[in-house]
Amino acid sequence: MADAEWVRQQAGVSLERLWPRVAALSEQTTPAQWQAFEARLRREWERLFGLLYDLYGGNYDFFYHLEQLLLAAGRSWLERPDWLKQLDARREAEPEWFQSQRMVGGVLYVDRFSGTLAKLRDHLPYFKELGLTYLHLMPLFEAPEGNSDGGYAVSSYRHVSPALGTIEELAGLAREFQEQGISLVVDFVFNHTSDEHEWARRAQAGDPKYQSYYFIFPDRVVPDAYERTLREIFPQVRRGSFTWREDMRRWVWTTFNSFQWDLNYANPQVFRAMAEELLFIANAGVEILRLDAVAFIWKRMGTSCENQPEAHMLIQAFNALARIAAPAMLFKSEAIVHPDDVLSYISPQECQISYNPLLMALLWEALATREVKLLEHSMHSRFKLPPGCAWVNYLRSHDDIGWTFDDADARWEWIDPAGHRTFLNSFYIGRYAGSFARGVPFQENPDTGDARVSGTLASLAGLEQALQSGDQQLIDLAVHRILLLHSIILSIGGIPLIYLGDEFGTLNDYSYVNDLDKADDSRWVHRPPADWQWRAQVQSDLASPHGFIYTELTRLIRLRQEQPAIWDGAMEVIESGNPHLFGYVRHHGGQRLLVVANFAEEAQELDGNRLRVYGLGYQFTDLLGGGSISAARALRLGPYQCVWLTATA
Ligand code: GLC
């Protein structure tokens, strides 16, 4: 790292030299617009310069890249639509907007949900009814036909897949959704491109400029050296992290599928090219950019090539650029790694929001064990985020579930981490006697015995098995598990995110095995197409578990949106004194909320004294159940019941 004072000086001198070229752009806009850009640039410049200098200062042509980047940022600002510039100003004036209790997220695949972007618009009333303020459209850019890893192999960052619509339609939708209070979330798949991207094609044709965009090797010497310390991500797809390309007679670095080529960010040209793609996507009206696979973007021999310091610097540099030319846009980190590493990506200068894989995994862990000790211990120390940041709390995503908890946390609670993971896998794959879950294994590693779990929320929570058994009691238990999990992500603090379909308790869809492009990837079991006819039937049928889940969930969402205490992520875990009860206190805007959740299928009690101490009162109202509760006695919670208590006296 260069010395701070030196960087400051050099940043100043460099900007002075570069400024005349950049300022020439000012003629193409109004003085006020240009001033806004210049002010942001001057505010962020030193940080951006320092990061880029550390990353690329050793390149002889560093200054050229700096100049090109600034020009790209300037041009992008000129092209930014006015409505987004207004949003930029609004968001800057209210930077904590996403901490609001009104925030509720949904995620969907356009093709599986509505078919096309045009038809997605028709579902706006539905999104409003559900209370969504955040809508993540799964990858929708051009991708190879057939298997494209669900779109995570991008062939063009500027064109929407023709089957879904056009980039203009996406931009139109972004604006319309924004007017209705829904922020558009889209992926930035920036660790790799598809092997059909123009850059990869040129590399295949032998163009050395584009070969340097990727990691391409003539023989196994370097790949073998890297592989000594790499983790296999998709061991069922292909062993190792490199793919042999017969057409080029070369090995290519492919962390994920063989058609996903890792980009080489040590090349400043790659950073610049991707920065331009990022700004283009921002100008389409994307408000939250989900940074895909952040852990993998920098490689260093002799390491796991995950979570390298340069990965953070790259994201911070992208962040600075966004602050300059598209300040309304936030970054969301997708780091499904050790909890310490997940945290390392979260800061206002890097990713303001992040998936919370730890909470997700531990909610399932507590459901399986009926004990909350690991959840309680981990959330106690690992939930807090820096100011200006927020978790995205989810119960499952389009991906598999992995048992990402800290081994030391587990040992502290007398849990053997490896044995526990084996237990959790067999529990959720349904191999454990007495398990309620119907998951499917994902990427079992024959060498390490490692595996992850696929499955919809409802199937994992027991609804599939219960419906097959026809046993009403088991169905009720499964429904209550589903509602219990939601009542936590809706109240714990951060943005709750629902994989759309789960709001109806959609079950696993095993038909993926008949599709050759999907059969090898069990994650398709939990990405079923929306069945609108079925939904219409069950939606208001409270006798159907699906209708009941939907009705209750929409009620929970409304309740969340009315509670000032749920603003932001400040949360204090309580010591419930009962191994099955997980509880926490939320406090904001003059409201105090005590949430207690029972993870057992038998009734449990919370001692009246604890209720008084944590709830700060004697009489309480349960916002969820509507009843009034006195601390004169123990609080009794039914199977999988959750209460949201506020003191009334
Ligand atoms: C992320 C995505 C996952 C994809 C991978 C490679 O982890 O969530 O679906 O397979 O990145 O892009």
Side-chain angles (χ1 to χ4, degrees), residues 149 152 192 234 256 260 290 292-293 334 398-399 523:
D149 189 15
Y152 280 102
H192 44 263
F234 283 173
F256 297 92
Q260 289 163 303
R290 174 191 179 277
D292 181 61
E334 192 250 350
H398 67 289
D399 280 332
R523 292 175 297 176

Side-chain angles (χ1 to χ4, degrees), residues 89-384:
R90 268 196 354 250
R91 296 305 193 210
E92 280 188 332
E94 212 188 334
E96 305 253 292
W97 64 276
F98 56 95
Q99 303 284 7
S100 167
Q101 68 273 17
R102 299 212 58 78
M103 292 296 293
V104 175
V107 50
L108 59 85
Y109 283 94
V110 175
D111 57 340
R112 317 212 112 214
F113 190 84
S114 59
T116 61
L117 282 173
K119 291 202 192 117
L120 191 66
R121 173 181 289 111
D122 302 343
H123 295 280
L124 192 58
Y126 177 68
F127 301 140
K128 301 273 289 177
E129 176 182 301
L130 206 50
L132 299 189
T133 62
Y134 161 126
L135 189 66
H136 176 191
L137 305 184
M138 291 294 292
L140 37 64
F141 290 104
E142 250 177 39
E145 286 289 317
N147 187 358
S148 63
D149 189 15
Y152 280 102
V154 175
S155 302
S156 161
Y157 298 89
R158 304 210 171 206
H159 296 101
V160 165
S161 157
L164 303 179
T166 63
I167 192 80
E168 290 75 23
E169 278 178 298
L170 181 70
L173 212 58
R175 182 169 186 180
E176 212 173 309
F177 279 18
Q178 170 51 229
E179 281 163 6
Q180 298 292 323
I182 300 178
S183 302
L184 184 68
V185 187
V186 160
D187 283 87
F188 189 45
V189 186
F190 72 127
N191 173 68
H192 44 263
T193 71
S194 91
D195 61 352
E196 294 184 7
H197 191 286
E198 178 66 18
W199 304 336
R201 285 190 193 278
R202 292 197 185 195
Q204 284 152 30
D207 185 334
K209 172 176 167 194
Y210 290 96
Q211 290 194 339
S212 71
Y213 273 41
Y214 301 95
F215 297 91
I216 297 175
F217 306 99
D219 54 39
R220 286 291 312 179
V221 177
V222 179
D224 282 344
Y226 274 115
E227 269 181 3
R228 268 177 226 127
T229 50
L230 292 180
R231 174 168 78 107
E232 285 179 294
I233 306 301
F234 283 173
Q236 279 183 347
V237 166
R238 180 212 54 237
R239 303 315 303 266
S241 298
F242 297 84
T243 298
W244 172 252
R245 289 288 299 211
E246 189 54 36
D247 54 347
M248 302 163 73
R249 304 204 55 76
R250 293 276 188 281
W251 289 94
V252 182
W253 196 318
T254 56
T255 298
F256 297 92
N257 289 285
S258 300
F259 50 82
Q260 289 163 303
W261 288 22
D262 287 48
L263 285 163
N264 179 4
Y265 280 93
N267 177 353
Q269 185 92 38
V270 169
F271 176 83
R272 213 153 50 67
M274 287 305 278
E276 289 187 22
E277 304 310 78
L278 179 149
L279 292 174
F280 177 83
I281 295 173
N283 281 356
V286 171
E287 271 195 78
I288 299 180
L289 198 62
R290 174 191 179 277
L291 301 193
D292 181 61
V294 289
F296 299 92
I297 58 173
W298 191 270
K299 327 288 186 198
R300 173 172 283 113
M301 183 70 83
T303 72
S304 65
C305 297
E306 290 181 46
N307 309 306
Q308 295 299 305
E310 289 83 353
H312 295 288
M313 291 157 67
L314 285 166
I315 301 169
Q316 286 170 21
F318 282 136
N319 173 304
L321 259 185
R323 300 274 71 68
I324 295 167
M329 191 169 71
L330 299 179
F331 288 176
K332 170 183 171 185
S333 153
E334 192 250 350
I336 312 300
V337 286
H338 184 277
D340 291 341
D341 294 319
V342 172
L343 259 184
S344 69
Y345 292 92
I346 312 172
S347 77
Q349 289 74 40
E350 199 166 331
C351 295
Q352 298 90 344
I353 62 180
S354 164
Y355 281 107
N356 190 349
L358 182 64
L359 177 67
M360 188 272 296
L362 292 182
L363 288 172
W364 291 108
E365 187 270 344
L367 270 192
T369 59
R370 280 76 166 171
E371 291 201 345
V372 302
K373 60 184 182 183
L374 188 53
L375 175 64
E376 195 175 284
H377 179 100
S378 308
M379 288 307 123
H380 183 73
S381 55
R382 297 182 182 276
F383 191 82
K384 195 170 186 309

